[in-house]
Amino acid sequence: MTAFSNNDNFSKRLARCFRLYWLKRQLATQTKVPPGASGPFSVDRTDCGIPSLASYDIVNLHWVAGFVDFNTFFVNNRDTSVVWRFSDLNPITGGCHYDAGCGKYLERCYRCPQLGSKVNEDISSGIWLRKQEAFKKHSVGNLHFVAQSNWMAGKMKMSPLVGHFPVTVIANGVDTDIFKPVAGFGLRSCLGIAEEDTVLLFVATSTHTERKGFSYLVKAIANLDSKVWILSVGNNEPTALNHQRHIWLGQIDNELLLTAVYNTANLFVLPSLQDNLPNTAIESIACGTPVVGFDSGGISDIVTSGGTGELVPRGDIKELSHAIKELVKDGARRAKSMRSACRAKALSDFHLPSQVRKFHDLYKNIIDGKKQHGRFEELHCKSKRS
């Protein structure tokens, strides 16, 4: 493994820094909505000058916002095989990571609602057009995309920026030797929760991010039985739940402790309005805990109604509340068929070795294809000389 080193000369680094500073000034000037409500907004330019990576057979990109400068990367590496795993929509939008249903990136970004922009030629428009030019500089045969969910693959195929590039769906995997069903009564005892009580779990880095749907959850659980507890995990305490029997556990980064929390819960509630393939839902079913939430984004790749949980129409608070109450009442169904279905789904679709094998097969196909292409060129040259 080679660490990245920005070895460009001073003048090039200075030019990129100035360009990035100017873009951020534009972004600050054009943003008219409260920061953070719609999630991050990332520009296409950075102060990092990534050199040519032609010596590598394959370059694998993951979440690179703020690191990869679109223009310089695709110019310097136009002949390099690149595999890019999309974590969200940002690579194909004018800056947002989730579009909240806007859909403009499928034609061309302008008047960005996440910025509160009323101008056609705003910063989102400029970013989208520059990305279009950057992607044009990379040949179709040298750029391969990986979507974590079928929803994301569909969005990529519809994109005028990258729709002509090949897309492979490879879901995230979790360590099913860590995230697994275990007895959760010890943690319940520590938290003062009776064994016969029902526990609902909600996990989000921030409840202030609109697409996480926290406000929908609050309304959906407003009239639950008194023997229902709410556990929440995240950076900020959700004060809107103070009238419920609620315990905020703060931010948890330890996987073993997270496993105990998932096992303490009877249901994991996922009211996201837009999500790619949330790891929290995969971790939950790996622990045997069913998921109930909105049918949005790639969540349907994880949750099957009646199997690993229940999905209801996006944004339908009444149906979400009904689904939660029905599963709260039907404890025997949760404990038997759903619990085993969750574990089976995690082992079949989200097992880490399966993800590794799929990436290995993708890399092998790319390398074999390059070898065959090189052999074709060699034979073509020989036939010309003869």
Side-chain angles (χ1 to χ4, degrees):
M1 181 178 291
T2 303
F4 168 76
S5 177
N6 193 345
N7 55 5
D8 274 350
N9 60 46
F10 176 76
S11 61
K12 287 184 178 180
R13 293 201 301 270
L14 182 63
R16 282 196 303 271
C17 286
F18 178 77
R19 190 176 60 186
L20 180 60
Y21 168 77
W22 179 248
L23 268 179
K24 288 185 174 180
R25 281 289 304 272
Q26 282 184 293
L27 181 60
T29 302
Q30 293 183 16
T31 302
K32 308 297 182 184
V33 296
S38 300
F41 188 100
S42 302
V43 299
D44 59 313
R45 290 172 168 173
T46 75
D47 56 354
C48 295
I50 298 178
S52 172
L53 301 170
S55 60
Y56 296 93
D57 293 316
I58 296 174
V59 175
N60 202 147
L61 303 179
H62 286 256
W63 202 89
V64 294
F67 175 59
V68 166
D69 183 290
F70 273 69
N71 184 60
T72 57
F73 179 84
F74 287 105
V75 167
N76 291 339
N77 299 286
R78 65 182 68 189
D79 297 320
T80 304
S81 289
V82 175
V83 173
W84 192 348
R85 190 204 69 162
F86 277 27
S87 299
D88 51 40
L89 294 171
N90 179 257
I92 55 175
T93 72
C96 67
H97 289 253
Y98 286 95
D99 75 324
C102 162
K104 290 180 180 177
Y105 70 95
L106 295 173
E107 296 179 6
R108 174 194 159 182
C109 287
Y110 65 98
R111 295 189 177 220
C112 177
Q114 292 197 26
L115 300 179
S117 169
K118 303 298 182 184
V119 181
N120 284 343
E121 304 302 323
D122 61 6
I123 192 170
S124 73
S125 173
I127 291 172
W128 193 95
L129 290 172
R130 286 195 298 272
K131 287 181 178 180
Q132 183 180 51
E133 289 303 309
F135 283 124
K136 285 180 179 178
K137 294 170 183 175
H138 221 89
S139 67
V140 173
N142 283 333
L143 189 53
H144 305 257
F145 293 118
V146 171
Q148 294 178 31
S149 66
N150 288 293
W151 170 78
M152 179 62 75
K155 296 297 184 184
M156 293 160 71
K157 290 174 183 177
M158 290 190 292
S159 167
L161 301 185
V162 303
H164 55 295
F165 292 106
V167 178
T168 303
V169 178
I170 303 178
N172 274 357
V174 298
D175 190 336
T176 52
D177 290 331
I178 293 178
F179 293 100
K180 60 185 178 181
V182 295
F185 298 131
L187 184 56
R188 282 189 173 225
S189 178
C190 292
L191 297 174
I193 300 173
E195 292 184 17
E196 64 271 15
D197 288 351
T198 302
V199 176
L200 307 183
L201 174 64
F202 173 78
V203 180
T205 302
S206 172
T207 56
H208 300 310
T209 303
E210 293 175 359
R211 70 178 181 86
K212 290 297 183 181
F214 178 68
S215 61
Y216 292 79
L217 171 68
V218 172
K219 294 174 183 177
I221 63 175
N223 299 308
L224 286 179
D225 186 273
S226 59
K227 289 190 175 182
V228 176
W229 288 79
I230 312 297
L231 289 186
S232 65
V233 175
N235 285 335
N236 59 301
E237 182 175 6
T239 54
L241 294 176
N242 281 346
H243 65 287
Q244 306 279 349
R245 295 213 295 179
H246 166 233
I247 299 174
W248 173 53
L249 300 175
Q251 182 67 28
I252 300 177
D253 297 316
N254 184 285
E255 291 183 337
L256 293 175
L257 182 54
L258 269 176
T259 296
V261 173
Y262 285 121
N263 277 275
T264 298
N266 301 105
L267 281 176
F268 178 71
V269 185
L270 185 65
S272 295
L273 301 172
Q274 195 174 50
D275 230 327
N276 183 6
L277 193 78
N279 276 0
T280 52
I282 301 174
E283 293 165 355
S284 182
I285 67 167
C287 294
T289 303
V291 179
V292 59
F294 292 137
D295 186 1
S296 64
I299 297 174
S300 60
D301 286 6
I302 307 169
V303 184
T304 53
S305 289
T308 56
E310 292 291 343
L311 290 181
V312 302
R314 179 182 180 273
D316 193 326
I317 296 172
K318 184 178 179 181
E319 285 297 316
L320 180 62
S321 178
H322 176 73
I324 293 172
K325 289 175 181 177
E326 286 298 306
L327 288 175
V328 166
K329 286 192 300 184
D330 199 349
R333 179 182 169 211
R334 291 194 321 266
K336 293 180 181 178
S337 62
M338 280 193 165
R339 189 170 176 82
S340 59
C342 285
R343 182 63 180 173
K345 177 79 171 176
L347 290 174
S348 65
D349 293 3
F350 306 109
H351 194 37
L352 274 178
S354 174
Q355 182 191 34
V356 171
R357 185 177 64 254
K358 290 177 181 178
F359 268 106
H360 174 271
D361 292 344
L362 176 60
Y363 296 154
K364 185 176 185 301
N365 289 338
I366 292 171
I367 292 172
D368 289 347
K370 290 179 74 172
K371 289 179 179 177
Q372 290 174 5
H373 181 67
R375 179 64 177 161
F376 170 80
E377 288 185 338
E378 179 185 348
L379 292 172
H380 184 64
C381 291
K382 284 182 178 179
S383 65
K384 280 188 175 182
R385 285 194 297 270
S386 62

